[in-house]
Each structure stands twice: as structure tokens, then as C-alpha cells.
């Protein structure tokens, strides 16, 4: 049994590195960039609060597990900005996922790796919901921090609406409400239209 | 329905403030102090990996929900160091919990508030397990960062073992293994014995 605790501790200590991975967003009220560890915490809570309103019924523990794990590959690959051409980096991320999960006892390794892959494929109800939340979170943050990351990276309202329209697959009403705010608040903040 | 999304968004945006609440630990490999948001993420993953080995069988979603929520009261009260005399601050924290959860739709407000209180009472299997993890996490971190917070605050090995013995209620084998390391690694790092 001790070897299981050694394995789990190695994994948990390796995760410390995600606290160093910077995203492009400055959280509303903070002057520094967000890291991927605190982001993962916040969207797990977004999942817990929005799951009663998901388009398809979801296994909430599965969604939360996906979201707690989804970004740990960035320990090896770094954060990819959603609007960059190289945003999809599945092959490199898979190598990272395999390295990290291999630190765990084999039963957990298999379970987490298959959940991570399921999230990336975005086909199951849980993965579609979790992916939608991962997309809507930085939109909500931009709506409350003066559209900081859109302005800083010269992203247009049209790009925001196009890139994040998958949120509607998780929750169409939520996306309708959020996208209306993107237009109004984005324009007020000086985000270019196209 | 829109009012639910407004309420949930208010709550999630309010949570940004937990990313500013500093703890006493410098995560292994980082030169800055940890914040309570990234801590909450890490112990939620500790729960997912250790739950198969819990002393009593636990509802994992309930444990993870408790851990994602357990520190949000620090937005109002700040982090309390486990070894300080005023560590237990239930009444003030309850006021904070009520304020924060009142931002949510009423069904979620009731559910989260009662989970938060259940965690604080540390009586149910899930609360005992979650509390144990919240205690063991900084011990594991000290064992991998040169015992930084123990040395910085002049905490003895005896205090560490006494203060965190509740970990054994969650998992006696884990605590036995960890407490042996506290003695060996603590002594090597120059942590005083008593």
C-alpha cells in the first residue's frame, strides 16, 4: 500500500508546476496573469453551479474530474492561447498526459488518461459540457476586466463569438446571454468589431 | 433562467478574490507563497487520487465539492495559519459563507452552505476525509520544500505531529507513513524537535 502513497505523492508534488503556468487572462481585480491551477479550480466550481442547467444530463463527478485534470499537460507544453493557430496540440499534449499519469498507481493512470482523452475528443455529454465551460470562463472574465486579453491580443468581437460558439452545445441559453454581453461590453471597451 | 446565470456569474466572479488570499506555504519549486485558490485545486486532486484508500467509503463528489468550496470564506476572513491560536474562527467564517452563498440561486445556496457547515463540523465520513486531506497537504509540501513554513514560523516536529494527527482518521496508513517522514526529513532540515 505504501507504494501507492509514494506514487500519489509524486503525482501531487509534480502538479505544483501547474501553479507556474501563466494564462493570458488577468483575473478581474488582479494585476497579474492567472495561472492554470487556479483556473482549474474556478471552472470546477463553474461546473458544479451550472450542471443543473446543462443541455444534456451529465455525470457531475466525471465533469469535475475532467476539469481538475484538463490542463495539467501544460506542465510540459505550456498554455496555448485559444486564438492562436497552434491552439490544438493534441499529439504533444498526449505525450505529456501519458508521462504525468504514469506517476500514479496503474488503475488511476488508466482511468485519468482515458478521461483526459475523452475531454479532448469533446464527444460525450460530459466532455461537451466541460469543454463549453472551459471556453466560457475567459469570456466571463473578459466581460469583468475591461476585455483585457481581447484588447491585449487584438482579438475582435467576431473572433470571440466564432471561437467560443461551442459553449452553445453545453448550454444554448447561457451562450445567447453571454454573447449579447460580448457585443455590448466589447464595443464599450473598444474591442474591434471584425 | 437568465437570473440564474446572472447569480452564478456574480458568484464565480466574486471567487476571483480567493486568488489573492495568500497561505503560509511556498509550493515546492516556487519562490512565492501559495494562494488558496490553487491550494483548493490541488487538494481536490489529492481527494480524487486518495479516495479509493479512504478509511470509510466516501461519496467522492461530495468530498470534492467540500474541498473546492472549503476556503472561499477566506475571501472575507483571510487565511488562518493552522498553528495559530485563532485558527478556529467558525462564527466569522459562517458569516462569510452565508454572504458568499447568498449570491447563488437559492437551491445551490442551501446545498453549498450545508456542505460547508458539514465540512467544518468534521463528523460525516466525507468531512473527516476532506479535513484529513486539508491537513496532510501542507505537510507533504513541507516535506518537499525544505520544511519552509515550519522553519519560517518556528514550528516543532512535535507540533506538526500533534496538530495533524486527525489525518489518521481519514487514512491511518497514510498518516503513519507521512509522520515517519516528518521525523526524518524534519530533523535533517533543522526543524526543532519540541
Amino acid at each position: 500500500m505504501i507504494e501507492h502513497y509514494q506514487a500519489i505523492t509524486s503525482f501531487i508534488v509534480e502538479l505544483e508546476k501547474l501553479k507556474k503556468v501563466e494564462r493570458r487572462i488577468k483575473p478581474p481585480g488582479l494585476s497579474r496573469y492567472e495561472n492554470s491551477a487556479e483556473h482549474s479550480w474556478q471552472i470546477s466550481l463553474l461546473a458544479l453551479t451550472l450542471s443543473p442547467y446543462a443541455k444534456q444530463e451529465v455525470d457531475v463527478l466525471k465533469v469535475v474530474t475532467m476539469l481538475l485534470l484538463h490542463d495539467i499537460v501544460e506542465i510540459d507544453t505550456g498554455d496555448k492561447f485559444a486564438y492562436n493557430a497552434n491552439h490544438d496540440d493534441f499529439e504533444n499534449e498526449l505525450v505529456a498526459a501519458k508521462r504525468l499519469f504514469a506517476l500514479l498507481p496503474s488503475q488511476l493512470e488508466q482511468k485519468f488518461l482515458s478521461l483526459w482523452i475523452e475531454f479532448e475528443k469533446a464527444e460525450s455529454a460530459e466532455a461537451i459540457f466541460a469543454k463549453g465551460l472551459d471556453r466560457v470562463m475567459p469570456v466571463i472574465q473578459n466581460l469583468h476586466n475591461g476585455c483585457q486579453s481581447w484588447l491585449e491580443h487584438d482579438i475582435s468581437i467576431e473572433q470571440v463569438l466564432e471561437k467560443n460558439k461551442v459553449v452553445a452545445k453545453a448550454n444554448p441559453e447561457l451562450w445567447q446571454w453571454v454573447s449579447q454581453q460580448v457585443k455590448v461590453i466589447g464595443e464599450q471597451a473598444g474591442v474591434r468589431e471584425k
Side-chain angles (χ1 to χ4, degrees), chain A:
Chain A
M1 195 68 100
I2 294 303
E3 66 272 19
H4 290 333
Y5 300 137
Q6 286 170 328
I8 288 168
T9 306
S10 303
F11 176 73
I12 293 293
V13 172
E14 182 70 12
L15 294 186
E16 300 282 10
K17 295 177 182 167
L18 198 63
K19 300 174 186 171
K20 280 200 275 199
V21 175
E22 262 189 7
R23 291 165 52 83
R24 305 302 199 280
I25 286 272
K26 291 181 183 170
L30 269 80
S31 56
R32 63 165 175 84
Y33 292 96
E34 178 177 54
N35 69 60
S36 292
E38 56 198 5
H39 158 72
S40 300
W41 163 74
Q42 191 172 28
I43 56 168
S44 298
L45 277 169
L46 188 62
L48 288 176
T49 50
L50 283 177
S51 59
Y53 313 104
K55 192 176 175 189
Q56 291 177 264
E57 203 175 314
V58 289
D59 173 339
V60 181
L61 179 59
K62 194 170 161 182
V63 170
V64 171
T65 305
M66 282 177 176
L67 288 173
L68 289 169
L69 292 171
H70 80 294
D71 271 345
I72 69 168
V73 295
E74 296 178 358
I75 288 172
D76 290 354
T77 66
D79 178 54
K80 301 282 186 301
F81 191 45
Y83 300 90
N84 282 359
N86 69 346
H87 177 63
D88 286 322
D89 190 22
F90 179 76
E91 291 307 323
N92 284 328
E93 292 187 347
L94 182 61
V95 172
K98 287 182 176 170
R99 179 186 79 76
L100 289 160
F101 294 134
L103 296 169
L104 287 166
S106 62
Q107 214 179 333
L108 282 168
E109 174 187 5
Q110 296 311 317
K111 182 181 163 185
F112 284 180
L113 182 61
S114 75
L115 270 178
W116 183 86
I117 291 170
E118 183 178 330
F119 172 80
E120 286 299 316
K121 287 195 174 162
E123 290 168 357
S124 69
E126 284 79 11
I128 288 168
F129 182 62
K131 277 270 180 194
L133 299 191
D134 195 29
R135 284 293 174 80
V136 82
M137 190 67 243
V139 177
I140 292 172
Q141 288 174 301
N142 266 286
L143 292 174
H144 291 84
N145 74 357
C147 305
Q148 163 264 330
S149 82
W150 300 336
L151 289 170
E152 222 167 277
H153 295 276
D154 194 28
I155 306 298
S156 70
I157 290 173
E158 192 176 73
Q159 280 175 289
V160 173
L161 296 177
E162 175 60 27
K163 196 71 192 180
N164 301 298
K165 64 186 181 190
V166 294
V167 177
K169 289 192 193 175
N171 186 321
E173 282 180 331
L174 174 68
W175 181 237
Q176 195 183 10
W177 177 64
V178 169
S179 56
Q180 279 165 359
Q181 292 177 72
V182 170
K183 290 173 200 160
V184 176
I185 295 176
E187 197 187 341
Q188 284 167 356
V191 177
R192 66 185 165 88
E193 202 178 321
K194 293 195 178 190

